[in-house]
Amino acid sequence: MITPMSRLETLKILQELYMYRSFGFTYYKKREIMPQKPNVSIPNSLDELKKNVHGCFLCALCKTRKNVVFGEGSLHAKIMFIGEGPGACEDTQGRPFVGNAGILLTKMIENVLKIKRSDVYIANIVKCRPPENRTPTPEEANMCRPYVFKQIEIISPEVIVALGGTSYRYLTGDESGITKVRGEILEYKTAKLIPTFHPSYLLRNESAKKDAYHDMLKVKALL
Ligand code: URA
């Protein structure tokens, strides 16, 4: 992907062109200036990764965020829940799933799976809040996804629960709707992946809760 040139890069090129002109050149051979991939190194420890993510300015979401929402939970979690991106409460507190959807997710974890929220790991595809809670764009997801992939690699959970269609699509690249794929047990990296409805959707659609409940029972059975 080709990213837009930063002001500094533009200035450097202009400076170089002025220098050539002062030497008498009238023609400048085009050369590859932009790296094809963003030059970002991804550390292998969660603490280092967190530091990197807190200093991330790779996409425009950094301009409107109050806080980066890296993710939280146990380093030894057997289950990882992955949402799409922080909402207003999460942006304010810098923690994932702490608003109304988070309260429901916590109930699903504690009342159905019968484990403490602090024993699982909770993260999102994008780590900064999309304005007005819109769906993260493919560009934003592409920039941020290496972080969630690294979180998965480090935590190495047995089961990953993709919360909602956006999370499922950006994790797998599969465009199928969540209604079609929810509850399936899929092979994903070294884990099983179970897509289910997003808790925000469940808050708006009471009747979908029983499906989500059955999905959670499948998660429980896998452990
Ligand atoms: N919705 C998400 O997808 N993630 C959060 O952290 C909160 C709400």
Side-chain angles (χ1 to χ4, degrees), residues 4 11 18 23 35 53 62 64 72-74 86-87 93 119 121 128 134 145 148 159 163 167 172 179 198 200 213 220:
L11 282 175
Y18 282 128
F23 290 162
V53 178
C62 68
T64 47
E72 65 182 26
S74 167
Q93 296 187 36
D119 287 341
Y121 197 90
C128 301
R134 62 162 172 72
R145 211 169 12 199
V148 80
V159 184
L163 296 167
S167 165
T172 61
T179 317
H198 192 285
S200 303
Y213 173 73
K220 196 169 177 215

Side-chain angles (χ1 to χ4, degrees), residues 83-87 90 96-97 124 198:
E84 70 174 67
E90 291 75 19
F97 283 96
N124 280 300
H198 192 285

Side-chain angles (χ1 to χ4, degrees), residues 169-218:
R169 189 170 66 251
Y170 284 140
L171 283 174
T172 61
D174 178 8
E175 299 282 332
S176 307
I178 190 69
T179 317
K180 179 162 173 263
V181 292
R182 62 138 282 274
E184 284 183 21
I185 302 173
L186 308 160
E187 296 296 327
Y188 186 78
K189 300 181 190 275
T190 54
K192 305 278 183 216
L193 175 83
I194 302 196
T196 192
F197 290 127
H198 192 285
S200 303
Y201 175 83
L202 296 176
L203 289 174
R204 298 190 305 270
N205 297 275
E206 191 74 19
S207 61
K209 280 188 179 169
K210 68 172 180 334
D211 289 333
Y213 173 73
H214 287 294
D215 298 344
M216 285 304 109
L217 292 183
K218 284 188 190 171

Side-chain angles (χ1 to χ4, degrees), residues 47-74:
D47 285 344
E48 281 302 308
L49 183 66
K50 188 171 180 176
K51 273 189 218 150
N52 274 27
V53 178
H54 276 258
C56 180
F57 298 97
L58 283 179
C59 82
L61 296 183
C62 68
K63 293 188 208 163
T64 47
R65 73 182 175 217
K66 285 192 192 131
N67 284 294
V68 170
V69 180
F70 177 70
E72 65 182 26
S74 167

